[in-house]
């Protein structure tokens, strides 16, 4: 008999907090440290307890390892290089939903710029060094060397609210991964390459790419993994009423 969700007591809240607080976008993984299939299955099983409107559970997950992973990496990296050589080709690769705003305003543009230049500064990439920027951006499409790549899709017929549901599911995956000593990097960078991704993973014609994610053991020696973005304190975004 399963323990009632109502009656379950979280005996170690500090560990839950640590799993959340220690999550970051890992950008360097140990390729030779595999993640057992059983561990991935455990993570997805617990993540599926995420809430969703009227219990629609909009998520579909494709796990890429080995040749399947490497094949997608090769295809998308080739397309990414082709766009860099001929920017006009970018018109062939479009996201199916707007992840970022069409017009940036403060404070969001300020945070975006701080994030980008802080990362490039850590990596020794100066403004205008386009070849280095391209190479670093392409690290996304190599899953930052993680042995496991995850692709998330949902049916196009679903509404915008399902993307909110999906975000809670993705957060569950990342926190559950931390509980097992693993790290992740959620990646919207893949979204524009849906025309390559969907047939490669065998997704149905009515599915759209929501995002990708890298999963594995962090490379503790990689300088890039020392990059952690700041957060606005709760007092800065909370309004107390009553």
């Amino acid at each position: 008999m399963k323990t009632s969700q109502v009656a379950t007591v979280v005996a170690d809240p500090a560990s839950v907090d640590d799993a959340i607080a220690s999550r970051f976008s890992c950008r360097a993984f140990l390729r030779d440290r595999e993640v057992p299939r059983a561990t991935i299955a455990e993570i997805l099983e617990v993540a599926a307890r995420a809430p969703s409107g009227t219990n629609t559970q909009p998520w579909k997950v494709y796990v890429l390892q080995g040749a399947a992973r490497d094949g997608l990496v090769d295809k998308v990296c080739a397309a990414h290089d082709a766009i860099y050589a001929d920017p006009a080709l970018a018109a062939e690769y479009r996201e199916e939903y707007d992840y970022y705003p069409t017009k940036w305003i403060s404070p969001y543009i300020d945070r975006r710029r701080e994030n980008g230049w802080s990362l490039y500064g850590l990596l020794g990439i100066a403004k205008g060094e386009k070849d280095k920027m391209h190479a670093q951006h392409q690290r996304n499409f190599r899953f930052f060397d993680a042995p496991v790549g995850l692709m998330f899709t949902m049916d196009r017929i679903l509404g915008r609210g399902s993307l909110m549901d999906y975000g809670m599911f993705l957060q569950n995956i990342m926190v559950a991964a931390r509980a097992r000593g693993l790290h992740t990097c959620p990646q919207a960078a893949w979204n524009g390459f849906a025309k390559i991704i969907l047939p490669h993973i065998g997704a149905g014609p009515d599915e759209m790419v929501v995002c990708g994610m890298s999963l594995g053991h962090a490379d503790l020696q990689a300088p890039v993994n020392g990059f952690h973005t700041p957060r606005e304190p709760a007092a800065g975004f909370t309004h107390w009423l009553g």
Side-chain angles (χ1 to χ4, degrees):
M1 180 182 297
K2 292 185 178 179
T3 303
S4 166
Q5 290 165 289
V6 174
T8 297
V9 175
V10 178
D12 185 11
S15 291
V16 178
D17 291 352
D18 286 346
I20 296 170
S22 64
R23 186 222 62 81
F24 76 106
S25 294
C26 181
R27 292 180 174 86
F29 293 84
L30 298 174
R31 178 68 193 274
D32 58 352
R33 285 198 65 183
E34 296 293 336
V35 180
R37 180 170 180 167
T39 301
I40 302 170
E42 285 178 4
I43 290 171
L44 295 174
E45 201 70 50
V46 70
R49 292 305 312 173
S52 59
T54 63
N55 199 32
T56 48
Q57 303 176 65
W59 35 82
K60 296 184 181 182
V61 185
Y62 296 84
V63 183
L64 294 101
Q65 297 172 282
R69 173 205 175 279
D70 297 345
L72 182 62
V73 166
D74 290 344
K75 291 175 185 177
V76 175
C77 283
H80 187 238
D81 283 338
I83 293 170
Y84 187 56
D86 181 6
L89 293 175
E92 298 181 18
Y93 301 95
R94 296 294 185 190
E95 298 177 349
E96 293 198 54
Y97 69 94
D98 293 330
Y99 186 87
Y100 293 111
T102 55
K103 180 180 180 180
W104 287 92
I105 61 172
S106 185
Y108 313 112
I109 185 61
D110 307 315
R111 294 170 183 163
R112 177 181 172 88
R113 287 170 176 161
E114 179 187 19
N115 181 74
W117 291 117
S118 294
L119 175 61
Y120 286 148
L122 178 65
L123 295 171
I125 301 174
K127 188 175 183 179
E129 292 187 306
K130 294 183 178 180
D131 288 349
K132 290 183 179 179
M133 291 179 183
H134 173 74
Q136 177 57 34
H137 190 230
Q138 192 168 101
R139 294 280 295 150
N140 279 281
F141 309 125
R142 299 183 185 280
F143 290 109
F144 298 108
D145 295 330
V148 180
L150 302 172
M151 283 293 154
F152 301 96
T153 73
M154 75 178 200
D155 287 328
R156 291 190 183 94
I157 197 172
L158 294 172
R160 191 181 304 177
S162 289
L163 289 172
M164 182 173 72
D165 298 339
Y166 224 120
M168 293 183 278
F169 173 66
L170 295 170
Q171 177 73 356
N172 274 2
I173 291 174
M174 293 183 280
V175 173
R178 289 300 304 121
R180 290 159 176 79
L182 300 169
H183 278 284
T184 57
C185 186
Q187 299 164 263
W190 290 95
N191 295 9
F193 293 98
K195 64 184 287 186
I196 297 174
I197 296 167
L198 293 172
H200 182 88
I201 63 178
D206 296 326
E207 294 174 56
M208 75 172 192
V209 173
V210 174
C211 69
M213 185 182 290
S214 302
L215 171 69
H217 294 272
D219 181 351
L220 302 181
Q221 306 305 315
V224 71
N225 282 340
F227 176 65
H228 300 285
T229 52
R231 290 293 187 272
E232 182 78 7
F237 58 76
T238 304
H239 303 271
W240 297 92
L241 307 175

